[in-house]
Amino acid sequence: MYYMIYSEDVADSLAQRKLARPAHLARLQQLAAENRLLVAGPLPAVDAEDPGEAGFTGSLVVAQFSSLQQANEWALADPYLAAGVYKQSTVKPFRKVLP
C-alpha cells in the first residue's frame, strides 16, 4: 500500500537541508530503485520553482510500504529529521486513484 509522508520544516531550515540533502536523497533513490516511490519533493516557501533563500516549508513523499508501522519507521529515520530540518512528520495511508 502507498503511504503519504508529509513533513514540516523548522523555521530557517535551508542551511540544514543543504547539509543533509545527499543522505536524504539516497534513501529516496533506494525507494525508486525498488519501484516503491510514487512521488517525492520539497514544498517551496514561496510560489516559485526555485525559492532561493526563502527555502522550503516541508516535503512530501508518497511511497509503498508493507504497513503503516514500516512507513512511520522509515519517516523517523529520515536524515532531515536527524539534522533538525523537520519539526514533525505525518504518515497516513494513501490510495492512488488517478492517473
Side-chain angles (χ1 to χ4, degrees), residues 19-33:
L19 290 174
R21 188 168 190 259
H24 173 79
L25 289 179
R27 295 180 79 233
L28 292 170
Q29 289 166 344
Q30 180 64 38
L31 287 176

Side-chain angles (χ1 to χ4, degrees), residues 56-95:
F56 301 92
T57 61
S59 300
L60 175 68
V61 174
V62 179
Q64 288 180 330
F65 294 94
S66 62
S67 67
L68 179 60
Q69 180 180 340
Q70 186 188 44
N72 272 306
E73 289 170 0
W74 189 90
L76 287 172
D78 195 303
Y80 277 175
L81 190 60
V85 174
Y86 292 156
K87 63 180 172 184
Q88 70 177 23
S89 292
T90 301
V91 180
K92 293 185 177 189
F94 177 82
R95 192 175 113 197

Side-chain angles (χ1 to χ4, degrees), residues 6 8 19 55 85 97:
Y6 168 68
E8 295 179 73
L19 290 174
V85 174
V97 175

